[in-house]
Amino acid sequence: MASLPDLPQTEIAIVEMTNAFRRESKLADVKPNAALTAAAHAFAAYLARTGKFAHEADGRRPGERVLTAGYHYCQVAENLAMNLDSRGFETRALARAVVEGWKGSPPHRANLLNPSATELGVGLARAPGPDPKFIAVQLFGRPQSLKVEFRIENEAGKTVRYVLGEEVHTLPPRTIVTHASCHADRLTFENAGSAMQHFEPRNGDRFVARSRPGGVIAIEPERR
């Protein structure tokens, strides 16, 4: 007789293994969220029931499904897995098979290691059939409340160059720009003095570029 896992315990183990993997990469844990979990459960049940297997199998995108579940997101990402074995699975063995499969796939691995994600939901469902087959859905989210908006003002007499995340920007003199981001991007000013200046922007921050003796540009942060 095939072994059958305890699905709620499998979901807990997937969360534990996900956070253990994130900690290996010096990333913060993601915390279970009830709305994301509800959306993951509903979609896993749908995939198991219909035999479909795609991120838009129900005609909706992950973001639409989590909104329906009441999760107002700044960022959302989804991992799917399908695991079948005629011998069945022990609880932690199924969790391990799911997470290891995601770790071995570059797009899924990127979701596991998304530094901006703060919350997650996991849902599993058994598909009909003679052999134990399980569908896993994992949703990563960053709530709208964590959206970061900040301003950069160039009061220096020359163009300021900075990098936000992986994007390079230039800001002409006497110019103000506002950035709104759902990502925990690092802000680096490249021509600020003899060394680069690095910041982790927070919502409401203001960064002012001013000229100093010797043609040096100093970035002065004003944090709310």
Side-chain angles (χ1 to χ4, degrees), residues 72-135:
H72 297 278
Y73 67 93
C74 192
Q75 181 185 94
V76 68
E78 182 178 74
N79 283 343
L80 302 180
M82 180 189 299
N83 295 82
L84 181 150
D85 193 322
S86 61
R87 299 166 298 178
F89 296 91
E90 298 293 340
T91 296
R92 290 194 68 83
L94 176 56
R96 191 174 300 107
V98 169
V99 175
E100 289 300 320
W102 287 334
K103 287 165 65 174
S105 164
H108 298 89
R109 186 185 184 93
N111 288 338
L112 291 170
L113 298 179
N114 181 352
S116 299
T118 60
E119 299 173 319
L120 89 165
V122 176
L124 275 86
R126 181 179 177 180
D131 294 325
K133 179 169 70 173
F134 298 93
I135 307 299

Side-chain angles (χ1 to χ4, degrees), residues 8-194:
Q9 288 301 314
T10 303
E11 293 166 0
I12 291 172
I14 288 174
V15 173
E16 292 174 352
M17 293 176 187
T18 295
N19 281 327
F21 183 50
R22 288 175 64 86
R23 287 193 292 270
E24 290 174 7
S25 296
K26 311 301 182 186
L27 295 174
D29 285 4
V30 281
K31 298 180 180 180
N33 173 274
L36 289 177
T37 299
H41 277 151
F43 194 45
Y46 174 85
L47 295 177
R49 182 176 67 252
T50 62
K52 297 179 180 180
F53 190 74
H55 291 287
E56 298 181 15
D58 63 350
R60 299 183 297 168
R61 297 178 180 177
E64 296 173 281
R65 290 192 292 272
V66 303
L67 280 173
T68 299
Y71 188 80
H72 297 278
Y73 67 93
C74 192
Q75 181 185 94
V76 68
E78 182 178 74
N79 283 343
L80 302 180
M82 180 189 299
N83 295 82
L84 181 150
D85 193 322
S86 61
R87 299 166 298 178
F89 296 91
E90 298 293 340
T91 296
R92 290 194 68 83
L94 176 56
R96 191 174 300 107
V98 169
V99 175
E100 289 300 320
W102 287 334
K103 287 165 65 174
S105 164
H108 298 89
R109 186 185 184 93
N111 288 338
L112 291 170
L113 298 179
N114 181 352
S116 299
T118 60
E119 299 173 319
L120 89 165
V122 176
L124 275 86
R126 181 179 177 180
D131 294 325
K133 179 169 70 173
F134 298 93
I135 307 299
V137 177
Q138 184 180 50
L139 287 163
F140 291 93
R142 183 180 181 87
Q144 184 69 26
S145 60
L146 293 184
K147 185 175 182 178
V148 174
E149 185 170 315
F150 61 95
R151 187 167 65 178
I152 302 174
E153 303 178 15
N154 187 0
E155 296 182 2
K158 57 184 178 180
T159 297
V160 170
R161 177 184 169 95
Y162 63 95
V163 180
L164 181 60
E166 296 181 355
E167 296 183 356
V168 179
H169 301 265
T170 55
L171 188 63
R174 297 176 300 282
T175 303
I176 299 173
V177 64
T178 298
H179 288 279
S181 176
C182 292
H183 305 276
D185 290 329
R186 192 182 202 196
L187 175 63
T188 299
F189 291 90
E190 294 190 335
N191 57 344
S194 58

